[in-house]
Amino acid sequence: MNSLIEEWQKQKKNRQKAHKQFVKRLEKRKSKALSKLGEELHENVFSEVSCLDCANCCTSIPPMASRADISRIAKHLGMSKKEFEIQYLKIDEDGDKVINQTPCPFLQSDNACLIYDVRPQACRKYPHTDNYEFAQHLNLHAQNSFYCPAVFHILERMENLT
């Protein structure tokens, strides 16, 4: 297993409060420069961590499915939208349609996604640390650092640099 993932597993509980405090400090500094740094650290960390070595998000966070996602995935699976919704979706506490089980039913034993090319938009964008959107999702990063080793290490490196 990747050493960054092992380090995250050992430290994530102890660093969760610190990450929340760090993100609160970053809230005051929202800027393009912060998003640029987030993008650079995203590239750096993801050059060292592969999602296929972890897949924790797929085993612990059921993604939302939009109408477009439902249509695309149902078509790919050769199902009607209604069949797909009945078999794979539920309504969560926020009223959103989400995958109805964890681990995700499309997660394969090698951590690859069975529907990768048509996966939900929520999966495509996770963990929201790239595309210069870092500063838009600060509170989410504090939460996601508990679920994603890449987010954890992005915040750790950012804290060391600022």
Side-chain angles (χ1 to χ4, degrees):
M1 185 180 290
N2 183 296
S3 64
L4 289 181
I5 295 172
E6 290 172 353
E7 185 178 332
W8 161 74
Q9 288 173 330
K10 291 176 189 171
Q11 295 185 25
K12 67 181 179 177
K13 286 182 182 175
N14 296 336
R15 295 289 296 149
Q16 191 171 22
K17 185 176 179 181
H19 284 160
K20 287 179 182 178
Q21 292 169 342
F22 176 60
V23 163
K24 279 186 180 182
R25 290 192 311 270
L26 289 179
E27 281 282 333
K28 298 171 187 165
R29 297 173 44 197
K30 278 188 177 181
S31 68
K32 287 183 181 182
L34 180 60
S35 285
K36 184 175 193 262
L37 177 59
E39 173 75 15
E40 290 169 7
L41 291 172
H42 170 94
E43 296 297 326
N44 184 276
V45 169
F46 275 100
S47 72
E48 300 173 46
V49 174
S50 169
C51 293
L52 293 174
D53 290 336
C54 178
N56 189 59
C57 55
C58 303
T59 64
S60 58
I61 307 170
M64 288 192 312
S66 69
R67 280 189 261 167
D69 294 329
I70 293 166
S71 294
R72 187 177 59 253
I73 298 167
K75 181 179 178 183
H76 176 79
L77 296 174
M79 306 173 86
S80 72
K81 291 183 272 187
K82 190 69 170 168
E83 288 172 321
F84 176 78
E85 288 188 44
I86 290 168
Q87 186 169 347
Y88 293 108
L89 299 179
K90 68 178 181 181
I91 306 294
D92 71 4
E93 61 277 355
D94 297 324
D96 297 315
K97 290 182 180 181
V98 299
I99 297 294
N100 63 5
Q101 55 187 295
T102 50
C104 179
F106 304 110
L107 180 65
Q108 300 176 97
S109 61
D110 64 354
N111 288 342
C113 178
L114 183 65
I115 60 166
Y116 186 80
D117 290 336
V118 295
R119 69 195 183 280
Q121 190 70 14
C123 300
R124 293 171 188 271
K125 291 190 169 206
Y126 190 83
H128 310 283
T129 53
D130 61 345
N131 297 325
Y132 296 99
E133 296 179 359
F134 187 87
Q136 296 173 24
H137 303 285
L138 291 174
N139 288 323
L140 191 57
H141 300 324
Q143 290 176 273
N144 285 341
S145 70
F146 189 77
Y147 297 101
C148 177
V151 176
F152 176 92
H153 288 288
I154 289 167
L155 290 179
E156 291 287 304
R157 292 176 186 186
M158 187 172 281
E159 191 168 18
N160 289 333
L161 291 172
T162 58

